[in-house]
Amino acid sequence: MMSISNFSLFTARRVVLVVLLLSFFTLNESEAASKVPPQKKLSAEDQKTSRVFGPLLKRFLEGPMAGLEEIVFAVRVPGRDHWYVTFGNYSDHSTPPKSRAFKKEDGVYWGYGEGASLCRMNLRTGEVKIILEDAKGGIRDPQMHYDGQKILFSYRKGGQHPFHLYEINIDGSGLRQLTDGPDDDIEPTYCPDGSIIFCSSRCRRFVNCWYTRVASLYRCDGDGKNIRMISSNNDHDNTPWMLPDGRVLYMRWEYVDRSQVHYHHLWTMNPDGTGQMVYYGNLHGGVAMLDAKPIPGTQKVVLAYSPGHGRPEHLGPVSIIDPSKGPDEKSSVRQISKGPTWQGLWKDPYALSEDCFLLAHPRGIYVMDGQGNKEQIYELPKSEKHLQCHEPRPLRSRPRERIIPPRTYLTENTGRLVLENIYHGRKMSSVKKGTIKKLLVMQQLPKPVNFSGGMEPLTIGGSFTLAEILGTVPVEPDGSAHMKLPALRSLFFVALDEKDQPVKRMHSFLILQPGETTSCVGCHEQRVQAPPAQASDLLAMRRPPSRIKKIEGTPGVFDFTRDIQPILDKHCVECHNPDRREGRVDLCGDKTVSYTISYRTIRLHNLVNDARNEATSNYEPYSYGSVVSRLMKLIDGSHHGAKLSEHERMMVRLWIESSATYPGTYASLGCGSYDVHLPYGEMKKHCGKCHGKEYKDRKGEKHWNLYYYGGTAFHPQSTCNLTRPEKSTVLRAPLAKEAGGLEICKGPDSKGSVFKDKNDPLYKSILACIEDARNRLNEGKRFDMPGFRPNQHYIREMQRFGFIPKDLKPEDPIDVYKVDRKYWDSFYYRPKVYAASK
């Protein structure tokens, strides 16, 4: 192992190259190259003068590493949040950002650390040279060019916020910036056709369940020009890398109507973005598959198999995936690093063979064989504990992969999809051919900002995003479909029968490139089976592709208070209101702490089957959505004459299919919730006998809380009416009927009521607490109230993205629905004039 005992990256002994960097950026490339001095190697004081080979490295240098002299790697401050928080800003100033950010600057907290270098090391002599260094900057994601003479990497210059793509010659000369702008460009990979694929926050969206920016896949020419989005993912795409067959391998994190933390698996696409397809693992949750790269001479890939929701800096055990058994076979994964999965601290593996790997570790750079035997070959000095090594790669030329010709037509704004047979697939054998008549087409809508790890207030335990209903396309009697769909949207489908009931639902999403034509065999079909033989040509192919048919009289994005509450008011509230509460159900539109009483009631009584946050995919037919939602039965006329019109029933049904969300705007996030600070001490004395319960927390410590009958923890959300405080259940349930109460709760002697009248001191105290919350609500507003104004962070991000004027005055109104619409529409692909499809 080679160590550096006294080497500090940012001491006075830094390389002369870096001293000139500030002036260097003002020069053109040829001038800069002529003025950059040769790299300075570390002095004898800074490194051991003799090289001691360990047995593993020695074996590798005589075998798989024969002919390899040097490696390149990055050194930088590691992230200290989720695995994806290594760039960009946090959304707000709450505790999670404050506790995880590295600094606050320009009014926001930032998720990156400062201090980095790009280094090269001779494996045979131990000599280390610094190619580029920046004491306040960030350097990451190096990849060697095919000719072995220059390096592509992502660089954030000190004093600036965004990362951009750069190239530099291996001797430190010729530093060239490829991309620019206010957003981050990271994790680039060279493509054999001369283009570059990279991840970028140019998608201008935030993680659906966290406070930070998203990076999705983009493509550009080799000089950084002609940048275009190739993935419309709501959440992260990560670590793209070329496969020998010319496809791009990458990690895609997604959760369409399923768990937020389970599905971050491997996908492939062609370099032009076409042919996006699962590579491995999307059916089985519980791991983040990061830094995947091909193993030479095999069809296998090596990766960091980061457990659970993924660990910071992609840490996890080193594993190999053999895709030959298909994308769902669990036994295809073999861990090669030793020790339990949760103890794995490896990252950035690079295979030179199936028995020889370079990889990084928080303590340095290692080599490892196929049996998990490891050997450290480099470590940073202990004085640099705030830094870590990252992304070791061989410094040498490499063969170009196969070139896949472009399959896009960038002058078109649609793609074409052919579905061969919707009845062919897993869990579809019970569905009789001819049952499915159409596909409901929806798209996931990105978030311009987010303020928590939960889904509130969009849903209660359900979806994290809004879904827009685009319309329907027909399915032929033989199960085929042929359709034109908008390009670069995250689309998913629900199969509907003749009654418009959902038969089967898609729990992933499809992206089509402009002009792309693609197809699928069936619905959740097995990927290891050949398509069944067709007796004749597909019925859907006998006609031009269907265009999406809009559903007239319905909104694209549902808003519960605007679109569903009026229906409840008309047909349900007469019996289900605070005074009558038939069946102990209240469906009035009065406001609670964060929702309306009706929305909270619907969820509390489980009246809809929506997008639960569960690690489940591929449900049985007719087991999901409106077809199994109790609410649909209650409005069909059989429940005390509550019969809705066909249009009203359709509205409720489509609201459920689009995830049964509460607001129809992301401006609702991070505001509009006003807690009620109830006098729990006094309530315990009066209510504890019937509703008190002791419980233990995770540490085993005992606590006491109030519970409803049935075991649900007491919460003001369900009992406090902020619109009409005196109608709150928490007041009326223990209040005598003679005083206008419900008298559900009995007094201490189980006779009479807790409150005889409204003059009871505790009654007054509770009422005052609810009125205080009511006053704060009326002052601060909620998204569905006149005069509502979103919080400062939504306004700031929408101003940065260009959808709210930067000179907005405090008294200027904001139509949040229009602002959201402009934001979503900005991502719609609009053809430009291109010389050719690139």
Side-chain angles (χ1 to χ4, degrees), residues 10-60:
F10 309 120
T11 61
R13 295 191 298 272
R14 68 180 56 183
V15 181
V16 177
L17 163 64
V18 182
V19 177
L20 300 178
L21 279 180
L22 291 178
S23 61
F24 170 83
F25 289 118
T26 64
L27 306 175
N28 64 40
E29 185 177 353
S30 59
E31 291 174 327
S34 66
K35 298 193 178 206
V36 174
Q39 292 168 309
K40 178 182 177 183
K41 63 183 181 180
L42 303 176
S43 66
E45 292 181 40
D46 297 324
Q47 62 178 328
K48 291 182 177 179
T49 56
S50 61
R51 180 66 165 136
V52 178
F53 292 95
L56 194 58
L57 179 59
K58 183 177 181 181
R59 175 163 68 87
F60 287 163

Side-chain angles (χ1 to χ4, degrees), residues 578 581 584 586 597 708 714 718-721 724-735 742 744-745 755 766 770:
R581 293 186 79 248
R584 294 193 176 184
D586 185 352
I597 288 176
Y708 304 111
F714 177 87
S718 301
T719 60
C720 296
N721 186 324
R724 295 177 286 175
E726 72 281 358
K727 298 293 185 181
S728 297
T729 307
V730 69
L731 289 172
R732 301 187 68 234
L735 181 64
L742 301 172
I744 297 172
C745 297
F755 302 143
I766 295 173
I770 302 173

Side-chain angles (χ1 to χ4, degrees), residues 553-579:
T554 62
V557 181
F558 274 85
D559 185 286
F560 180 84
T561 58
R562 181 192 65 201
D563 303 317
I564 304 302
Q565 187 61 50
I567 299 174
L568 301 179
D569 290 341
K570 180 179 178 181
H571 296 281
C572 308
V573 173
E574 181 181 354
C575 298
H576 300 292
N577 59 64
D579 294 315

Side-chain angles (χ1 to χ4, degrees), residues 314-335:
H314 307 183
L315 296 177
V318 181
S319 298
I320 291 175
I321 290 177
D322 181 354
S324 62
K325 297 179 182 179
D328 304 322
E329 178 56 51
K330 291 184 177 181
S331 65
S332 296
V333 181
R334 178 173 69 90
Q335 179 178 322

Side-chain angles (χ1 to χ4, degrees), residues 7 143 206 208 216 265 289 320 349 351 385 388 395 404 416 472 518 571 590 602 619 705 777 837:
F7 171 44
Q143 191 190 54
F206 277 70
N208 294 338
S216 64
H265 298 105
M289 301 180 182
I320 291 175
K385 290 182 179 180
Q388 288 184 9
L395 197 159
I404 298 176
R416 191 164 59 125
T472 62
T518 190
H571 296 281
D590 291 356
I602 287 171
Y619 290 79
N705 201 357
L777 169 64
S837 294

Side-chain angles (χ1 to χ4, degrees), residues 636-655:
D636 67 359
S638 62
H639 179 69
H640 301 286
K643 187 173 183 178
L644 279 61
S645 68
E646 285 300 316
H647 180 264
E648 289 170 332
R649 280 179 52 81
M650 179 180 67
M651 290 283 286
V652 175
R653 175 177 59 81
L654 291 175
W655 169 67

